[in-house]
Amino acid sequence: MNSASNNSGQYLVLSAAFFYGLNPFFGQLLFQEGLGAEMVSLYRFIIPAIFFTFFLRTPKENRTEALRTLILGVASGIAIYSFFHALQVLPAATAILIYYTYPVFSVLIGWAVYKKTPSHNALISAALVAIAASLTVNPQAISADLWFTLASCFLAPLVVATQVQYLSNPRKKIPTTNRMAWITIGHIIILLPIAIWVAPAQVLPVSPLGFASLIGIALFAAAIPQVLFMIGAPKSNVDKNALIGSLELVVALLTGAVLLGDNLSQLEMTAMALIVLALFIKQVKEQPIVKIAES
């Protein structure tokens, strides 16, 4: 892979990370409108799904890959619902910081599942992200009845990490629009039944800001970054893709502070500084991934 292609891939992944970081911001605005986690999760994907339905048609030779992508979408649907439910009932910083540990899980999954030994820089960067995420998680602020919600929130980083690993090097290349169609349908397959089962009392926002947030979470925090990532990830290094994604945490915390009036503690500011340091370490020196020899 030439350096120009590698750089273009990294810029696309970086752009995707910025947009993904807006998820907690739009999610909290929709919670303020009275919507529950099931509707916020559903709206995040149903609007892109309507558009990408036109690209579902898949040649026979690509159907196995489409099925794998569909399964990723189903798993992601479960995970994103768990995250938004946690964001609604747990301290926002706790849910956000758990979600954005996925770069750490990505390195571990790449090592354990894909048999790829990460570079020393990747391990150091992942460790910094883990430390950053742990700084502001306060177990004493979590009541006993919310421990299951806290545990289920870890589904999100696990699934996102798996997606990063797989989409950075898929078994078979298929058109981005076709992959987007199947992954969004996977989300809807799980999220629509959840929304019907919960039977929420409110299904629409109550103000123009709420409707703007609905469009924002579907377009700017879901569809656009997903396309950017799917195009850019295969052109970049898989560990770099995961670590660049940790920038989402910085965006999430800053948008909460600047636009929602959340207070940033000294620990949260330290966490952001550690993440920027992790990104800098990965950028100044990159060692190639060494594959473990198969026995």
Side-chain angles (χ1 to χ4, degrees):
M1 180 186 302
N2 60 55
S3 59
S5 176
N6 188 280
N7 288 336
S8 67
Q10 291 172 24
Y11 293 142
L12 289 171
V13 173
L14 185 65
S15 299
F18 173 81
F19 284 112
Y20 276 136
L22 298 174
N23 269 296
F25 168 66
F26 286 124
Q28 289 179 83
L29 285 179
L30 289 170
F31 293 151
Q32 292 173 11
E33 290 285 305
L35 297 182
E38 69 287 339
M39 294 309 301
V40 173
S41 305
L42 180 62
Y43 282 134
R44 184 175 185 261
F45 295 106
I46 198 167
I47 295 176
I50 292 171
F51 172 76
F52 284 108
T53 298
F54 296 101
F55 302 96
L56 273 174
R57 186 173 181 179
T58 306
K60 185 176 181 180
E61 63 271 18
N62 291 345
R63 288 176 185 171
T64 301
E65 182 63 20
L67 178 61
R68 285 191 285 264
T69 304
L70 177 69
I71 293 171
L72 277 178
V74 170
S76 181
I78 297 171
I80 201 66
Y81 171 73
S82 299
F83 168 65
F84 279 121
H85 177 65
L87 186 64
Q88 189 174 21
V89 300
L90 295 176
T94 299
I96 291 170
L97 287 163
I98 289 174
Y99 182 90
Y100 292 118
T101 58
Y102 76 80
V104 181
F105 286 104
S106 180
V107 171
L108 295 176
I109 289 172
W111 198 347
V113 178
Y114 291 92
K115 308 301 180 186
K116 293 180 291 188
T117 302
S119 67
H120 292 300
N121 277 1
L123 288 174
I124 293 171
S125 298
L128 287 174
V129 172
I131 293 169
S134 68
L135 284 178
T136 56
V137 177
N138 182 13
Q140 296 178 348
I142 310 298
S143 60
D145 60 319
L146 292 178
W147 276 101
F148 178 78
T149 300
L150 181 72
S152 67
C153 190
F154 279 95
L155 284 173
L158 281 168
V159 171
V160 172
T162 302
Q163 283 191 337
V164 168
Q165 286 289 329
Y166 185 78
L167 295 176
S168 295
N169 188 24
R171 293 278 295 274
K172 182 179 177 61
K173 292 183 178 180
I174 60 176
T176 300
T177 50
N178 186 235
R179 194 180 295 279
M180 278 292 299
W182 285 105
I183 202 167
T184 52
I185 290 299
H187 289 108
I188 301 306
I189 284 175
I190 191 68
L191 291 174
L192 185 58
I194 288 176
I196 294 173
W197 178 67
V198 172
Q202 184 176 339
V203 296
L204 289 173
V206 295
S207 72
L209 177 61
F211 281 99
S213 300
L214 190 153
I215 298 299
I217 201 169
L219 183 62
F220 295 107
I224 289 176
Q226 186 78 65
V227 171
L228 291 172
F229 185 85
M230 285 186 175
I231 295 174
K235 300 178 181 180
S236 181
N237 175 277
V238 61
D239 285 340
K240 185 176 286 292
N241 290 342
L243 292 164
I244 287 175
S246 61
L247 178 67
E248 295 177 30
L249 174 57
V250 178
V251 175
L253 292 177
L254 286 179
T255 53
V258 175
L259 300 177
L260 295 178
D262 296 341
N263 292 323
L264 279 179
S265 69
Q266 185 176 355
L267 286 177
E268 288 168 339
M269 289 187 285
T270 303
M272 289 191 291
L274 286 175
I275 287 172
V276 172
L277 177 60
L279 292 171
F280 177 74
I281 290 173
K282 194 66 180 122
Q283 288 171 352
V284 297
K285 185 178 181 181
E286 178 183 341
Q287 299 177 3
I289 294 176
V290 178
K291 290 190 177 181
I292 299 175
E294 295 182 0
S295 57

